Amino acid sequence: MRPTVNKSIRPRPTSTGQPLGLTLGLAAMLLAAMSLFTPSVSAPKLKHRSLIIFAPDTSSTDLSKQKEVVAQVRDGLQQRDIVVVYVIGQDISAELGPEPTAIPVKLRSHFKVPRDDFRVVLIGKDSQTEMLSDVPVTADQLFQTIDATPGRQDGVKPPG
């Protein structure tokens, strides 16, 4: 049902001389445009969790340790819908999922990870950071964190 419009009423001019309806219309358009660039309060649910591993370079011992853990628990990561993203120096790659399109410098900036630091970040399906660690995480630490999240109810429960 459309609202009725009384055509005999003329728009009241504002102090700038613009009709009030035009000014409000421009304000509404500005707000709509701003919403395109502002993240919503309720982030969309993602299909995968992301385990982002930052390392200064390929010779990082922490990186080697974390890669060993990933290799040992590959099946468990897949069951929990985890994409592993490596940000090594200025390079980015992925395991168990599509190649990332993010820019390494922007990821480092977003998560406040200096180029010479090691860090592990787990992002949940709700786009929230579930874990941060400056040292390699064990499979138990990773899986306990994931299995304790409400979003885990959508995934496969571990045996046991």
Side-chain angles (χ1 to χ4, degrees), residues 15 37 39 43 46 51 79 81 105 109 111 117 125-126 137 156:
S15 61
F37 300 105
L46 303 173
L51 182 67
Q79 288 174 348
D81 298 322
V105 171
S109 174
F111 291 105
D117 284 5
K125 288 184 177 182
D126 60 356
V137 295
V156 177

Side-chain angles (χ1 to χ4, degrees), residues 47-111:
K47 292 181 181 179
H48 302 280
R49 292 172 183 86
S50 296
L51 182 67
I52 308 172
I53 302 167
F54 294 92
D57 55 49
T58 56
S59 65
S60 165
T61 55
D62 287 336
L63 175 62
S64 297
K65 290 177 187 175
Q66 195 64 67
K67 280 188 166 193
E68 286 176 25
V69 170
V70 168
Q72 291 169 359
V73 296
R74 189 174 176 88
D75 290 342
L77 295 172
Q78 287 177 315
Q79 288 174 348
R80 290 167 176 85
D81 298 322
I82 298 175
V83 174
V84 181
V85 177
Y86 294 100
V87 179
I88 303 170
Q90 297 301 314
D91 297 324
I92 189 167
S93 62
E95 218 178 297
L96 305 176
E99 280 302 309
T101 57
I103 299 170
V105 171
K106 289 188 178 189
L107 279 176
R108 285 185 180 280
S109 174
H110 179 78
F111 291 105

Side-chain angles (χ1 to χ4, degrees), residues 13-48:
T14 63
S15 61
T16 62
Q18 295 288 336
L20 183 59
L22 179 61
T23 302
L24 291 175
L26 289 172
M29 286 177 22
L30 178 62
L31 287 172
M34 285 173 49
S35 70
L36 294 174
F37 300 105
T38 306
S40 69
V41 174
S42 60
K45 189 172 179 181
L46 303 173
K47 292 181 181 179
H48 302 280

